[in-house]
Amino acid sequence: MEQFIMKTKIYMGEACLLQLNSLGIRRAYIICDPFMEKSGKASEIEGLLEETGAQSRIFAKVVPDPTIEAVTQGIEGMEDFAPDTVIALGGGSAMDTAKAVCHLYAAMKQEQRPRLVAVPTTSGTGSEVTSFAVISDPEAQAKYPLKDPAMVPDVAFLDPVLTATVPSGITADTGMDVLTHGLEAYVSTQSGDFTDACAEKAVRMVWKYLEQAVIDGSNMDARTHMHNASCLAGIAFNGASLGICHSLAHALGARFHIPHGRSNAILLPHVITYNAGLEEAGETEALSRYVEIANLLGISAGTGKATVHGLIRQIRNLMKRIGIPEQVTELGIDREEFLQSVKSMAAKALEDGCTAANPRKPALKNLEDIYGRLCKGGLG
Ligand SMILES: NC(=O)c1ccc[n+]([C@@H]2O[C@H](COP(=O)([O-])OP(=O)(O)OC[C@H]3O[C@@H](n4cnc5c(N)ncnc54)[C@H](O)[C@@H]3O)[C@@H](O)[C@H]2O)c1
Ligand SMILES: [Fe+2]
Protein backbone atom coordinates (compact mmCIF):
# COMPACT_ATOMS: atom_id res chain seq x y z
CA MET A 1 0.00 0.00 0.00
CA GLU A 2 1.21 3.50 -0.80
CA GLN A 3 0.35 6.75 0.94
CA PHE A 4 0.79 10.36 -0.01
CA ILE A 5 0.43 12.79 2.87
CA MET A 6 0.79 16.54 2.54
CA LYS A 7 -0.32 18.15 5.73
CA THR A 8 1.12 21.65 5.28
CA LYS A 9 -1.31 24.42 4.42
CA ILE A 10 0.44 26.43 1.72
CA TYR A 11 -0.19 30.09 0.97
CA MET A 12 1.50 31.37 -2.16
CA GLY A 13 2.03 34.47 -4.25
CA GLU A 14 3.20 38.04 -3.75
CA ALA A 15 2.33 39.52 -0.33
CA CYS A 16 0.67 36.30 0.86
CA LEU A 17 2.59 36.75 4.12
CA LEU A 18 -0.01 39.35 5.12
CA GLN A 19 -2.30 36.38 5.76
CA LEU A 20 -0.15 35.52 8.79
CA ASN A 21 -2.62 37.48 10.88
CA SER A 22 -5.46 35.18 9.91
CA LEU A 23 -3.95 32.32 11.93
CA GLY A 24 -4.97 33.59 15.35
CA ILE A 25 -1.41 33.72 16.68
CA ARG A 26 -1.03 35.02 20.27
CA ARG A 27 2.64 34.36 21.10
CA ALA A 28 5.14 33.88 18.28
CA TYR A 29 8.75 32.80 18.61
CA ILE A 30 10.54 33.90 15.43
CA ILE A 31 13.60 31.84 14.52
CA CYS A 32 15.94 33.38 11.93
CA ASP A 33 19.57 34.11 11.15
CA PRO A 34 21.37 37.40 12.00
CA PHE A 35 20.88 38.69 8.44
CA MET A 36 17.09 38.46 8.73
CA GLU A 37 17.23 40.49 11.95
CA LYS A 38 19.64 43.11 10.56
CA SER A 39 17.77 43.51 7.29
CA GLY A 40 14.58 44.24 9.22
CA LYS A 41 12.61 41.27 7.87
CA ALA A 42 12.12 39.75 11.33
CA SER A 43 10.85 43.00 12.79
CA GLU A 44 8.50 43.41 9.83
CA ILE A 45 6.84 40.18 10.94
CA GLU A 46 6.83 41.41 14.53
CA GLY A 47 5.11 44.62 13.38
CA LEU A 48 2.55 42.66 11.42
CA LEU A 49 1.73 40.47 14.43
CA GLU A 50 1.43 43.51 16.69
CA GLU A 51 -1.52 44.69 14.61
CA THR A 52 -3.57 41.92 16.21
CA GLY A 53 -2.05 42.37 19.65
CA ALA A 54 0.08 39.24 19.38
CA GLN A 55 3.38 39.15 21.25
CA SER A 56 6.61 37.96 19.72
CA ARG A 57 10.21 37.21 20.51
CA ILE A 58 13.05 36.96 17.99
CA PHE A 59 15.77 34.32 18.18
CA ALA A 60 18.34 35.37 15.55
CA LYS A 61 21.22 33.00 16.22
CA VAL A 62 20.70 30.55 13.38
CA VAL A 63 23.99 29.53 11.74
CA PRO A 64 24.51 28.12 8.24
CA ASP A 65 24.35 24.31 8.33
CA PRO A 66 22.68 24.44 11.77
CA THR A 67 24.46 22.80 14.67
CA ILE A 68 23.21 20.95 17.74
CA GLU A 69 24.48 23.92 19.76
CA ALA A 70 22.31 26.43 17.86
CA VAL A 71 19.30 24.15 18.33
CA THR A 72 19.97 23.96 22.08
CA GLN A 73 20.21 27.77 22.30
CA GLY A 74 16.97 28.06 20.37
CA ILE A 75 15.20 25.80 22.87
CA GLU A 76 16.60 27.76 25.84
CA GLY A 77 15.36 31.02 24.31
CA MET A 78 11.77 29.82 24.13
CA GLU A 79 11.43 28.07 27.47
CA ASP A 80 10.24 31.06 29.51
CA PHE A 81 8.25 32.50 26.57
CA ALA A 82 5.93 29.54 25.99
CA PRO A 83 4.88 30.39 22.42
CA ASP A 84 1.80 28.98 20.75
CA THR A 85 3.53 29.39 17.38
CA VAL A 86 7.09 29.12 16.12
CA ILE A 87 7.80 31.05 12.91
CA ALA A 88 10.80 29.90 10.89
CA LEU A 89 12.01 32.81 8.77
CA GLY A 90 14.88 32.21 6.35
CA GLY A 91 16.51 29.58 4.19
CA GLY A 92 16.92 25.90 4.97
CA SER A 93 19.21 26.68 7.88
CA ALA A 94 16.55 28.69 9.75
CA MET A 95 13.74 26.28 8.88
CA ASP A 96 15.72 23.19 9.91
CA THR A 97 16.76 24.85 13.18
CA ALA A 98 13.14 25.73 13.93
CA LYS A 99 11.93 22.23 13.08
CA ALA A 100 14.45 20.63 15.43
CA VAL A 101 13.84 23.24 18.16
CA CYS A 102 10.07 22.76 18.05
CA HIS A 103 10.31 18.99 17.99
CA LEU A 104 12.79 18.67 20.87
CA TYR A 105 11.04 21.34 22.95
CA ALA A 106 7.79 19.39 22.79
CA ALA A 107 9.57 16.12 23.57
CA MET A 108 11.25 17.66 26.62
CA LYS A 109 8.02 19.19 27.90
CA GLN A 110 6.03 16.12 26.96
CA GLU A 111 3.38 18.27 25.38
CA GLN A 112 2.14 18.93 21.88
CA ARG A 113 4.57 21.04 19.90
CA PRO A 114 3.69 24.66 19.12
CA ARG A 115 2.26 25.35 15.67
CA LEU A 116 5.11 25.61 13.18
CA VAL A 117 4.89 28.24 10.45
CA ALA A 118 7.60 28.21 7.78
CA VAL A 119 8.46 31.33 5.80
CA PRO A 120 11.18 30.40 3.30
CA THR A 121 13.33 33.26 2.00
CA THR A 122 15.45 31.20 -0.38
CA SER A 123 14.05 29.05 -3.21
CA GLY A 124 15.94 25.88 -2.53
CA THR A 125 15.47 23.37 0.24
CA GLY A 126 11.70 22.87 0.25
CA SER A 127 12.15 22.38 3.99
CA GLU A 128 8.81 24.19 4.53
CA VAL A 129 6.99 20.99 3.55
CA THR A 130 9.38 18.19 4.50
CA SER A 131 9.90 15.94 7.49
CA PHE A 132 13.68 16.43 7.27
CA ALA A 133 15.94 18.66 9.34
CA VAL A 134 19.64 18.52 8.48
CA ILE A 135 21.72 19.10 11.59
CA SER A 136 25.52 19.37 11.61
CA ASP A 137 28.07 18.14 14.10
CA PRO A 138 31.15 20.30 13.39
CA GLU A 139 33.42 18.15 15.58
CA ALA A 140 32.59 14.97 13.68
CA GLN A 141 32.55 17.01 10.41
CA ALA A 142 29.24 15.37 9.62
CA LYS A 143 25.71 16.40 8.64
CA TYR A 144 22.80 14.25 9.73
CA PRO A 145 19.44 14.37 7.95
CA LEU A 146 16.95 13.77 10.79
CA LYS A 147 13.53 12.61 9.64
CA ASP A 148 10.27 12.64 11.54
CA PRO A 149 6.78 13.29 10.13
CA ALA A 150 6.07 15.32 13.28
CA MET A 151 8.55 17.93 12.04
CA VAL A 152 6.56 18.83 8.92
CA PRO A 153 5.49 22.49 9.28
CA ASP A 154 1.77 23.16 9.69
CA VAL A 155 1.68 26.27 7.50
CA ALA A 156 4.01 27.63 4.80
CA PHE A 157 4.03 31.07 3.20
CA LEU A 158 5.62 31.07 -0.26
CA ASP A 159 5.94 34.82 -0.64
CA PRO A 160 8.36 35.53 -3.50
CA VAL A 161 8.80 39.13 -2.37
CA LEU A 162 11.00 37.81 0.44
CA THR A 163 13.40 36.28 -2.07
CA ALA A 164 14.00 39.48 -4.06
CA THR A 165 17.10 40.30 -2.00
CA VAL A 166 18.81 36.91 -2.41
CA PRO A 167 22.19 37.58 -4.11
CA SER A 168 22.70 35.95 -7.52
CA GLY A 169 25.27 33.42 -6.26
CA ILE A 170 22.90 32.12 -3.57
CA THR A 171 20.01 32.12 -6.07
CA ALA A 172 22.13 29.91 -8.33
CA ASP A 173 23.22 27.52 -5.56
CA THR A 174 19.77 27.12 -4.02
CA GLY A 175 18.18 26.74 -7.47
CA MET A 176 20.51 23.85 -8.22
CA ASP A 177 19.34 22.29 -4.93
CA VAL A 178 15.79 22.38 -6.32
CA LEU A 179 16.92 20.71 -9.55
CA THR A 180 18.74 18.01 -7.57
CA HIS A 181 15.67 17.39 -5.38
CA GLY A 182 13.50 16.99 -8.46
CA LEU A 183 15.88 14.64 -10.26
CA GLU A 184 16.72 12.53 -7.21
CA ALA A 185 13.06 12.16 -6.24
CA TYR A 186 12.21 11.18 -9.83
CA VAL A 187 14.77 8.35 -10.07
CA SER A 188 14.39 7.25 -6.43
CA THR A 189 13.33 3.69 -5.65
CA GLN A 190 10.44 5.21 -3.65
CA SER A 191 9.03 7.39 -6.42
CA GLY A 192 5.39 7.05 -7.44
CA ASP A 193 2.89 8.82 -9.68
CA PHE A 194 2.17 11.56 -7.15
CA THR A 195 5.80 12.37 -6.36
CA ASP A 196 6.64 12.16 -10.08
CA ALA A 197 4.05 14.81 -10.87
CA CYS A 198 5.63 17.24 -8.43
CA ALA A 199 9.20 16.36 -9.43
CA GLU A 200 8.53 16.74 -13.16
CA LYS A 201 6.90 20.13 -12.73
CA ALA A 202 9.66 21.37 -10.43
CA VAL A 203 12.41 20.32 -12.85
CA ARG A 204 10.65 21.98 -15.77
CA MET A 205 10.22 25.22 -13.82
CA VAL A 206 13.89 25.32 -12.79
CA TRP A 207 14.82 24.74 -16.42
CA LYS A 208 12.72 27.69 -17.47
CA TYR A 209 13.17 30.19 -14.65
CA LEU A 210 16.41 29.65 -12.71
CA GLU A 211 18.68 31.49 -15.11
CA GLN A 212 16.26 34.42 -15.32
CA ALA A 213 16.11 34.66 -11.52
CA VAL A 214 19.93 34.62 -11.31
CA ILE A 215 20.41 37.25 -14.02
CA ASP A 216 17.71 39.58 -12.71
CA GLY A 217 16.77 39.06 -9.09
CA SER A 218 13.98 41.66 -9.39
CA ASN A 219 12.16 39.52 -11.97
CA MET A 220 9.16 38.64 -9.81
CA ASP A 221 7.74 36.21 -12.35
CA ALA A 222 10.93 34.12 -12.28
CA ARG A 223 11.20 34.47 -8.48
CA THR A 224 7.59 33.34 -8.01
CA HIS A 225 8.02 30.24 -10.17
CA MET A 226 11.33 29.32 -8.53
CA HIS A 227 9.73 29.66 -5.09
CA ASN A 228 6.86 27.38 -6.09
CA ALA A 229 9.27 24.95 -7.79
CA SER A 230 11.29 24.71 -4.60
CA CYS A 231 8.19 23.74 -2.65
CA LEU A 232 6.98 21.26 -5.28
CA ALA A 233 10.39 19.58 -5.29
CA GLY A 234 10.16 19.44 -1.49
CA ILE A 235 6.79 17.68 -1.75
CA ALA A 236 8.33 15.26 -4.26
CA PHE A 237 11.29 14.26 -2.13
CA ASN A 238 9.33 14.23 1.10
CA GLY A 239 7.41 11.35 -0.45
CA ALA A 240 10.11 9.75 -2.60
CA SER A 241 13.27 10.55 -0.59
CA LEU A 242 16.54 11.54 -2.26
CA GLY A 243 19.69 9.72 -3.30
CA ILE A 244 23.47 9.67 -3.23
CA CYS A 245 23.91 13.17 -4.65
CA HIS A 246 22.59 14.42 -1.31
CA SER A 247 24.55 11.84 0.69
CA LEU A 248 27.78 12.92 -1.03
CA ALA A 249 26.84 16.61 -0.72
CA HIS A 250 26.19 16.29 3.01
CA ALA A 251 29.64 14.82 3.69
CA LEU A 252 31.35 17.26 1.30
CA GLY A 253 29.56 20.29 2.76
CA ALA A 254 30.29 19.22 6.33
CA ARG A 255 34.01 18.75 5.61
CA PHE A 256 34.70 21.80 3.41
CA HIS A 257 31.82 24.18 4.21
CA ILE A 258 30.58 24.46 0.66
CA PRO A 259 26.97 25.75 0.44
CA HIS A 260 24.52 22.86 0.22
CA GLY A 261 23.14 23.64 -3.26
CA ARG A 262 26.61 24.18 -4.70
CA SER A 263 27.81 20.83 -3.30
CA ASN A 264 24.88 19.13 -4.99
CA ALA A 265 25.47 20.96 -8.27
CA ILE A 266 29.10 19.94 -8.70
CA LEU A 267 28.26 16.33 -7.88
CA LEU A 268 25.09 16.05 -9.96
CA PRO A 269 26.59 15.33 -13.44
CA HIS A 270 28.79 12.57 -11.98
CA VAL A 271 25.94 11.04 -10.00
CA ILE A 272 23.75 10.88 -13.10
CA THR A 273 26.64 9.28 -15.04
CA TYR A 274 26.96 6.61 -12.34
CA ASN A 275 23.23 6.02 -11.80
CA ALA A 276 22.53 5.76 -15.52
CA GLY A 277 25.58 3.52 -16.04
CA LEU A 278 26.77 5.71 -18.90
CA GLU A 279 30.32 4.38 -18.82
CA GLU A 280 29.38 0.73 -18.46
CA ALA A 281 28.03 -1.92 -20.79
CA GLY A 282 24.29 -2.56 -20.62
CA GLU A 283 21.54 -0.37 -19.25
CA THR A 284 20.56 0.44 -15.68
CA GLU A 285 16.96 0.86 -14.56
CA ALA A 286 17.53 4.51 -13.81
CA LEU A 287 18.66 5.17 -17.39
CA SER A 288 15.09 5.08 -18.69
CA ARG A 289 13.94 7.42 -15.90
CA TYR A 290 16.58 10.00 -16.81
CA VAL A 291 15.56 9.61 -20.47
CA GLU A 292 11.95 10.44 -19.52
CA ILE A 293 13.02 13.59 -17.71
CA ALA A 294 15.38 14.57 -20.54
CA ASN A 295 12.54 14.14 -23.05
CA LEU A 296 10.29 16.34 -20.91
CA LEU A 297 12.95 19.04 -21.21
CA GLY A 298 13.05 18.60 -24.98
CA ILE A 299 16.33 16.67 -25.00
CA SER A 300 16.48 13.58 -27.13
CA ALA A 301 19.17 11.75 -29.13
CA GLY A 302 19.51 8.44 -30.97
CA THR A 303 19.89 6.19 -27.90
CA GLY A 304 18.98 6.35 -24.22
CA LYS A 305 22.59 6.86 -23.24
CA ALA A 306 23.12 9.61 -25.82
CA THR A 307 20.00 11.33 -24.49
CA VAL A 308 21.27 11.25 -20.91
CA HIS A 309 24.66 12.52 -22.08
CA GLY A 310 22.70 15.40 -23.63
CA LEU A 311 20.91 16.03 -20.33
CA ILE A 312 24.22 16.16 -18.46
CA ARG A 313 25.73 18.49 -21.08
CA GLN A 314 22.82 20.87 -20.68
CA ILE A 315 23.05 20.78 -16.88
CA ARG A 316 26.74 21.68 -17.18
CA ASN A 317 25.89 24.51 -19.59
CA LEU A 318 23.29 25.85 -17.17
CA MET A 319 25.83 25.71 -14.34
CA LYS A 320 28.33 27.63 -16.44
CA ARG A 321 25.78 30.29 -17.32
CA ILE A 322 24.81 30.81 -13.67
CA GLY A 323 28.41 30.82 -12.43
CA ILE A 324 28.77 27.46 -10.69
CA PRO A 325 32.20 25.83 -11.18
CA GLU A 326 32.73 22.13 -11.91
CA GLN A 327 35.85 21.41 -9.85
CA VAL A 328 36.37 21.66 -6.09
CA THR A 329 39.72 23.39 -6.68
CA GLU A 330 37.79 26.30 -8.21
CA LEU A 331 36.06 26.68 -4.83
CA GLY A 332 39.35 27.41 -3.09
CA ILE A 333 39.77 23.86 -1.78
CA ASP A 334 43.29 22.46 -1.71
CA ARG A 335 43.56 19.46 -4.04
CA GLU A 336 45.69 17.31 -1.72
CA GLU A 337 43.51 18.05 1.29
CA PHE A 338 40.45 17.12 -0.73
CA LEU A 339 41.92 13.85 -1.97
CA GLN A 340 43.00 12.93 1.56
CA SER A 341 39.43 13.42 2.76
CA VAL A 342 37.79 11.30 0.07
CA LYS A 343 37.82 8.01 2.01
CA SER A 344 36.24 9.41 5.17
CA MET A 345 33.66 11.46 3.23
CA ALA A 346 32.68 8.42 1.14
CA ALA A 347 32.27 6.33 4.30
CA LYS A 348 29.92 8.96 5.75
CA ALA A 349 27.98 9.23 2.48
CA LEU A 350 27.46 5.47 2.38
CA GLU A 351 25.85 5.62 5.84
CA ASP A 352 23.75 8.71 5.05
CA GLY A 353 19.97 8.26 5.24
CA CYS A 354 19.56 9.44 1.63
CA THR A 355 21.60 6.54 0.19
CA ALA A 356 18.86 3.96 0.76
CA ALA A 357 16.51 5.27 -1.96
CA ASN A 358 19.20 5.71 -4.62
CA PRO A 359 18.34 3.74 -7.78
CA ARG A 360 21.72 1.95 -7.68
CA LYS A 361 23.20 0.45 -4.54
CA PRO A 362 26.68 1.92 -4.41
CA ALA A 363 29.76 0.28 -2.96
CA LEU A 364 32.18 2.48 -1.02
CA LYS A 365 34.51 2.46 -4.04
CA ASN A 366 31.79 3.92 -6.32
CA LEU A 367 31.34 6.86 -3.97
CA GLU A 368 35.10 7.42 -3.70
CA ASP A 369 35.31 7.42 -7.51
CA ILE A 370 32.56 10.04 -7.80
CA TYR A 371 34.44 12.33 -5.40
CA GLY A 372 37.62 11.69 -7.39
CA ARG A 373 35.96 13.24 -10.44
CA LEU A 374 35.57 16.56 -8.67
CA CYS A 375 39.20 17.48 -9.26
CA LYS A 376 41.47 17.15 -12.28
CA GLY A 377 43.57 14.01 -12.33
CA GLY A 378 41.10 12.35 -9.92
CA LEU A 379 42.20 9.73 -7.43
CA GLY A 380 45.21 8.88 -9.66
N1 LIG B 1 15.15 20.08 5.54
C1 LIG B 1 15.28 19.78 4.28
O1 LIG B 1 14.40 19.16 3.71
C2 LIG B 1 16.51 20.24 3.57
C3 LIG B 1 16.67 19.98 2.20
C4 LIG B 1 17.84 20.46 1.56
C5 LIG B 1 18.78 21.16 2.31
N2 LIG B 1 18.62 21.39 3.64
C6 LIG B 1 19.60 22.14 4.47
O2 LIG B 1 19.30 23.54 4.38
C7 LIG B 1 20.51 24.29 4.57
C8 LIG B 1 20.73 25.23 3.40
O3 LIG B 1 19.65 26.09 3.25
P1 LIG B 1 19.72 27.26 2.15
O4 LIG B 1 20.39 26.73 0.94
O5 LIG B 1 18.39 27.84 2.03
O6 LIG B 1 20.77 28.29 2.78
P2 LIG B 1 20.78 29.11 4.18
O7 LIG B 1 19.52 29.01 4.90
O8 LIG B 1 22.03 28.66 4.91
O9 LIG B 1 21.00 30.58 3.64
C9 LIG B 1 22.11 30.89 2.82
C10 LIG B 1 22.44 32.37 2.93
O10 LIG B 1 21.43 33.12 2.29
C11 LIG B 1 21.06 34.22 3.11
N3 LIG B 1 19.68 34.57 2.79
C12 LIG B 1 18.57 33.81 3.01
N4 LIG B 1 17.48 34.46 2.56
C13 LIG B 1 17.90 35.63 2.07
C14 LIG B 1 17.24 36.75 1.48
N5 LIG B 1 15.91 36.74 1.27
N6 LIG B 1 17.97 37.81 1.08
C15 LIG B 1 19.33 37.80 1.25
N7 LIG B 1 20.01 36.80 1.80
C16 LIG B 1 19.30 35.72 2.21
C17 LIG B 1 21.25 33.71 4.52
O11 LIG B 1 21.39 34.77 5.43
C18 LIG B 1 22.53 32.89 4.36
O12 LIG B 1 23.66 33.73 4.47
C19 LIG B 1 21.63 23.26 4.68
O13 LIG B 1 21.93 23.03 6.04
C20 LIG B 1 21.03 22.03 4.03
O14 LIG B 1 21.66 20.84 4.46
C21 LIG B 1 17.48 20.95 4.26
FE1 LIG C 1 18.97 19.65 -0.81
Side-chain angles (χ1 to χ4, degrees):
M1 190 205 57
E2 288 176 54
Q3 277 189 336
F4 183 82
I5 300 167
M6 178 62 254
K7 73 161 200 182
T8 311
K9 178 169 186 176
I10 304 168
Y11 293 81
M12 60 203 82
E14 281 182 51
C16 71
L17 188 57
L18 296 175
Q19 291 304 314
L20 191 63
N21 275 348
S22 67
L23 302 181
I25 298 171
R26 300 315 308 150
R27 297 177 75 79
Y29 186 60
I30 303 169
I31 296 185
C32 62
D33 68 16
F35 170 79
M36 287 296 143
E37 189 178 41
K38 259 187 253 134
S39 67
K41 285 195 167 81
S43 44
E44 265 174 45
I45 291 194
E46 251 190 334
L48 189 63
L49 291 167
E50 262 170 32
E51 289 173 15
T52 61
Q55 295 192 10
S56 50
R57 177 185 285 183
I58 297 174
F59 172 80
K61 291 187 187 152
V62 166
V63 292
D65 300 328
T67 55
I68 298 157
E69 196 192 339
V71 171
T72 310
Q73 286 179 352
I75 295 171
E76 282 165 7
M78 87 193 247
E79 259 169 340
D80 64 320
F81 184 63
D84 57 40
T85 304
V86 169
I87 300 178
L89 172 69
S93 299
M95 289 190 283
D96 286 4
T97 304
K99 284 157 84 171
V101 163
C102 240
H103 191 61
L104 296 174
Y105 174 85
M108 274 164 43
K109 296 238 168 207
Q110 296 193 317
E111 58 186 44
Q112 207 169 343
R113 71 155 169 75
R115 170 172 41 197
L116 181 55
V117 176
V119 185
T121 63
T122 59
S123 304
T125 68
S127 183
E128 66 274 13
V129 287
T130 74
S131 52
F132 293 89
V134 187
I135 302 298
S136 295
D137 180 350
E139 238 170 72
Q141 295 187 329
K143 280 176 101 169
Y144 302 106
L146 313 176
K147 188 172 192 284
D148 194 318
M151 285 198 293
V152 178
D154 304 291
V155 184
F157 287 95
L158 307 182
D159 192 333
V161 175
L162 293 165
T163 68
T165 50
V166 180
S168 59
I170 297 177
T171 303
D173 292 345
T174 49
M176 287 304 293
D177 194 20
V178 181
L179 183 65
T180 311
H181 294 158
L183 290 174
E184 292 217 281
Y186 194 76
V187 302
S188 151
T189 56
Q190 293 174 28
S191 65
D193 289 345
F194 283 64
T195 59
D196 282 358
C198 297
E200 283 177 7
K201 183 69 180 170
V203 167
R204 289 209 298 214
M205 285 160 90
V206 172
W207 216 244
K208 187 161 176 196
Y209 295 106
L210 175 57
E211 191 178 356
Q212 292 177 30
V214 171
I215 291 171
D216 176 10
S218 67
N219 179 337
M220 262 307 133
D221 188 43
R223 289 289 199 191
T224 301
H225 288 296
M226 278 307 300
H227 219 34
N228 293 344
S230 169
C231 186
L232 283 167
I235 295 172
F237 84 78
N238 193 50
S241 192
L242 293 163
I244 58 168
C245 196
H246 267 75
S247 307
L248 293 160
H250 288 149
L252 178 65
R255 173 67 185 81
F256 290 104
H257 306 291
I258 304 169
H260 173 72
R262 188 164 285 222
S263 304
N264 272 317
I266 60 171
L267 284 157
L268 187 61
H270 306 292
V271 169
I272 298 175
T273 300
Y274 166 72
N275 279 344
L278 294 187
E279 294 172 356
E280 297 154 45
E283 297 194 344
T284 65
E285 262 176 49
L287 177 72
S288 58
R289 297 290 281 164
Y290 286 116
V291 170
E292 283 171 23
I293 277 280
N295 290 164
L296 273 177
L297 300 174
I299 304 164
S300 135
T303 64
K305 284 190 178 173
T307 300
V308 178
H309 274 298
L311 172 68
I312 293 173
R313 207 163 32 247
Q314 294 219 23
I315 290 174
R316 286 188 197 279
N317 286 342
L318 172 66
M319 284 166 61
K320 194 172 273 168
R321 295 197 305 274
I322 62 176
I324 296 185
E326 291 192 9
Q327 304 271 308
V328 283
T329 43
E330 295 168 78
L331 299 173
I333 294 171
D334 179 70
R335 185 173 181 277
E336 290 312 311
E337 208 181 328
F338 175 76
L339 290 174
Q340 277 165 16
S341 307
V342 163
K343 269 194 186 318
S344 69
M345 291 191 299
K348 283 176 185 148
L350 192 64
E351 293 303 314
D352 190 287
C354 295
T355 301
N358 196 65
R360 279 185 88 178
K361 249 199 182 354
L364 188 63
K365 176 79 172 62
N366 302 125
L367 300 180
E368 289 174 0
D369 286 347
I370 294 174
Y371 278 133
R373 289 166 182 242
L374 300 186
C375 60
K376 283 204 178 72
L379 298 175

